[in-house]
Amino acid sequence: MADKRIATYDTTLRDGEQCEGITLSLEDKLAIVRRLDEFGIDIIEGGYPASNPKDVAFFREVAAMDLRHARIAAFGSTCRKGVAAADDEGLADLLASGAPVVTIVGKTWDAQVERALRTTLDENLRMIADSVAYLAAAGREVVFDAEHFFDGYKANAAYALACVGAAVEAGAVSVDLCETNGGALPFEVEDVVGAVRAAYPQARFGIHCHNDSGCAVANTLAAVRAGATQVQGTVNGIGERVGNADLLTVIADLELKMGLRAVGSHSLMQLTSLSQYVAELCNVSVSPHHPYSGASAFAHKGGLHASAIARFPEAYEHVNPAVVGNGARMLVSELAGKASLLQKAASLGFRLEEAEGGAQAVLDDIKAREARGFTYEVADGSLGLLLMRHLGIYRPSFTLESFRVIVDDREDTGALAKDALSEATVKIHVGDARFVATGESAGPVGALDNALRMAIVESYPQVAHMELTDYKVRLLDESQGTDAITRVTITATDGVDTWGTVGVSENVIEASWNALVDSLEYGLHRARVRAGK
Amino acid sequence: MADKRIATYDTTLRDGEQCEGITLSLEDKLAIVRRLDEFGIDIIEGGYPASNPKDVAFFREVAAMDLRHARIAAFGSTCRKGVAAADDEGLADLLASGAPVVTIVGKTWDAQVERALRTTLDENLRMIADSVAYLAAAGREVVFDAEHFFDGYKANAAYALACVGAAVEAGAVSVDLCETNGGALPFEVEDVVGAVRAAYPQARFGIHCHNDSGCAVANTLAAVRAGATQVQGTVNGIGERVGNADLLTVIADLELKMGLRAVGSHSLMQLTSLSQYVAELCNVSVSPHHPYSGASAFAHKGGLHASAIARFPEAYEHVNPAVVGNGARMLVSELAGKASLLQKAASLGFRLEEAEGGAQAVLDDIKAREARGFTYEVADGSLGLLLMRHLGIYRPSFTLESFRVIVDDREDTGALAKDALSEATVKIHVGDARFVATGESAGPVGALDNALRMAIVESYPQVAHMELTDYKVRLLDESQGTDAITRVTITATDGVDTWGTVGVSENVIEASWNALVDSLEYGLHRARVRAGK
């Protein structure tokens, strides 16, 4: 299998997004497409146009992106029973999306056909063949997702194989066998994929696994061992229930352990960064214990091994952390290195070479702050302000005289009363003018945000257009009790730009204040830049 | 393999506890032992006496516990090079622990012996044989952990096998092959375990895997397929780096997918509860997406499948969630059912049968509160107070007139100033007396806690002995912005009892206040109970 190439198919934006609690804006999705393309993913499944009208906008916008390598896929299902493919609205939506790849899911389990679809086994074969042929004739690269394939094969192997055959003969470029319930184990997957390959030796097969038995990655690798040449998954394994196969873990295992090529070693070094980036956009943390990309994935046990590691790293590290871009907790500072930081600064509109102390001073500052709990992965706003300070061009829009946040409760709360009301009073200076404003909200941070905006809107009317779209609180070390270091990240938009900021303190109010100030300051900066000032 | 019994070996308290950020008190460990024993785990590895003096107390206390089934293991290593087993202090510590099972780890990789241990291959064999024989002669059940076995076998199969042979011949009851670096894939593990079994067909083998390649569970199952009869792992897969094989996932897969017996179907129904319990004691959450025990592990996709599920559950669920005690988000209310709730109430000292509306009214109340964000898994204190209210026996120790929390900041914070100081003023009534107290701290919740204690200590001196040992904040829906529902859980102890409480609100201060009040009230209740009042 030396140098054999495995195609990678990412379904983070479709199957992954079905994960509870994950909502991606259109901008988030396009940003993820850009990063996946840079990483070298072959096919990016962008959405489900028939099911999700918002995805129509996605396919329109992504068609205008200049992608280096990746092909975009639209996801849908076989035509409805009793309807010709040419008359099916879902298929029409798929073609209308303009996506060069179209992936349709179809039944392959006889009981599903009869009890869920409530049609005949022959009609289901017709639906598969007609739909694939129709899309292929329209010039699309068709992927057939064989739903519940492993349960279907166990129940009625001949029928499941017939479904595969219908797709292959109708012109599917790849038949991706889906372990939809997540219940199979690796040896079962390997056996079944082997049998399918033996039945259709000229066809290309992919694999799509879920993690309900804790074996999604292993199942995916087992399928590759049995001859699958396309692997589906999501970044960080996000997905409903127990999630999908983690595509990044699969890629790392394929390349580093199985001698196969997926994205190549150069891209592999971006694995950790990609993992962290997508996680932040999804509003979740990468577990420190996540394979390859977790902050602790390569953290060595203290004491017993520490001296031994330096002498003999292979004894304790299954791979060199640098090959996946991991190895330290300080992501932006360590992984970025000077070249990446200069590039990042340029993308934000700053020429970092001109900073006093240059890029090194900035790197040192970032590293020190990350040690205190800051993260800049999705806090371009705070990063931009930091760069401006180093460049000597930061002019605060206002200075703080004082703020006070008050949370009052006036009767016996029991466990359910909602009498707590928060009030914040902010006193600031803009030039020689002084402003005092008081804001209210259910919670203290909302009150502070309202007060601050009220205080500066007269001087800076643009803040009226700025809206907070996301607010996250993380206690960085819960065992420290009530005064644990708290990190607050905020996302805001003014309808044109979107930016993130971060604040850190033992005091959640102060951490929030810092993130709020950065948010308004950076928003004002962006507004000035757009106005040519 | 019908009905074949696989032994389970839990190393949560030893290998698991090495996980960064996890600290278990002695009481936590004993509580976990109790639950693991009830679950049917065969061997519980309690600690590393030579390395960790605190573990001495553990072994003393656990010897006094009346365990139903489990055997306790002490962990250590082979004797030092050049030292007779009988003279080795580490082995002496293991015997002194009194644990009936002793597990010693030894080298099996030639390069490790020569470069890390810096001794000869023959001396390492001597160390293994002598140590095992010495412990076996002392009447202990000896488990030999073959460290880095898979790397060792790849490097020098003959030597690795010789190490195994030395342990087997010296009387090891089981040789547990450790995939210490976590880098192997399932097919490799299956091949190697098969080869070892072929070399020593009469010996018993176990397997101990790490999750660095995302395959720990699959590797463990592969080893069992190749003939291993003992599986090591930790609850929820906790452990350093990427963690250990998740013993509960392994057990569920062995029983539900491979037709083997580990703990039995009755115990298996306690899987979800055990997973959640250990997680809370470890101060981490079980990911909603955790196999089998996650809150979303069986949560169905809305829309497309909802109607189909009711007709045909096997189509969408790889196993019936009830068999692992999962199936709903409302853990205490749904899973408990009335019988368990009555049992729980009794364990807290309450006769729930006497409640107005009985257990059903309490269940309904718990369910409604859980829907609002409360959790009672580790909030016995709040649960106890809830029961007392239903029983009509709750007499608040004080009533709240008002509280006010103030967070001040007096100069331009930049991003790093620490000028924010929090102050809280609490006004309460105890009977006819009124108390006003002001507390200060870096953060607002610490200030509130200090103020409340100061206000009631004159009336209730016992609060001086109560100490907050843990404080956790969770935003339950971050996409709601700054006023997202926040859950605060607090753990407190008075040196005799330890209890947890919970508070929920859009306002973090109010949520904290509610949890703090419950904490003090419940602590006072426990103090009264102990004083016979």
Side-chain angles (χ1 to χ4, degrees), chain B residues 49-229:
Chain B
S51 151
N52 199 345
K54 291 191 304 181
D55 287 347
V56 171
F58 169 84
F59 287 107
R60 184 185 62 233
E61 297 290 320
V62 81
M65 287 175 78
D66 184 24
L67 298 179
R68 175 177 86 78
H69 171 85
R71 306 190 296 292
I72 299 296
F75 176 87
S77 68
T78 46
C79 62
R80 279 166 304 143
K81 63 190 178 190
V83 174
D87 299 330
D88 187 82
E89 290 175 12
L91 295 181
D93 286 337
L94 286 170
L95 289 181
S97 77
V101 180
V102 172
T103 298
I104 51 170
V105 64
K107 304 298 184 196
T108 64
W109 184 1
D110 58 359
Q112 278 255 326
V113 172
E114 291 169 336
R115 298 171 62 179
L117 274 189
R118 284 184 279 193
T119 188
T120 68
L121 299 184
D122 278 343
E123 171 59 5
N124 183 54
L125 290 171
R126 194 279 311 167
M127 288 155 63
I128 293 170
D130 261 12
S131 304
V132 172
Y134 174 68
L135 296 167
R140 302 299 194 267
E141 174 185 342
V142 183
V143 174
F144 178 67
D145 267 1
E147 202 191 38
H148 290 111
F149 186 78
F150 296 81
D151 289 306
Y153 187 91
K154 269 188 232 178
N156 185 338
Y159 185 67
L161 287 173
C163 294
V164 168
V168 170
E169 277 143 40
V173 168
S174 181
V175 173
D176 289 10
L177 308 174
C178 301
E179 212 295 285
T180 308
N181 279 352
L185 300 184
F187 48 89
E188 298 169 328
V189 170
E190 196 164 345
D191 287 347
V192 171
V193 173
V196 177
R197 288 246 313 140
Y200 299 100
Q202 304 307 320
R204 269 188 74 228
F205 291 99
I207 181 72
H208 173 116
C209 293
H210 287 266
N211 201 31
D212 299 69
S213 304
C215 294
V217 167
N219 285 351
T220 304
L221 302 179
V224 169
R225 263 170 64 83
T229 54

Side-chain angles (χ1 to χ4, degrees), chain B residues 29 116 146 347 357 385 457:
Chain B
K29 290 188 175 191
S347 75
L385 296 174
V457 70

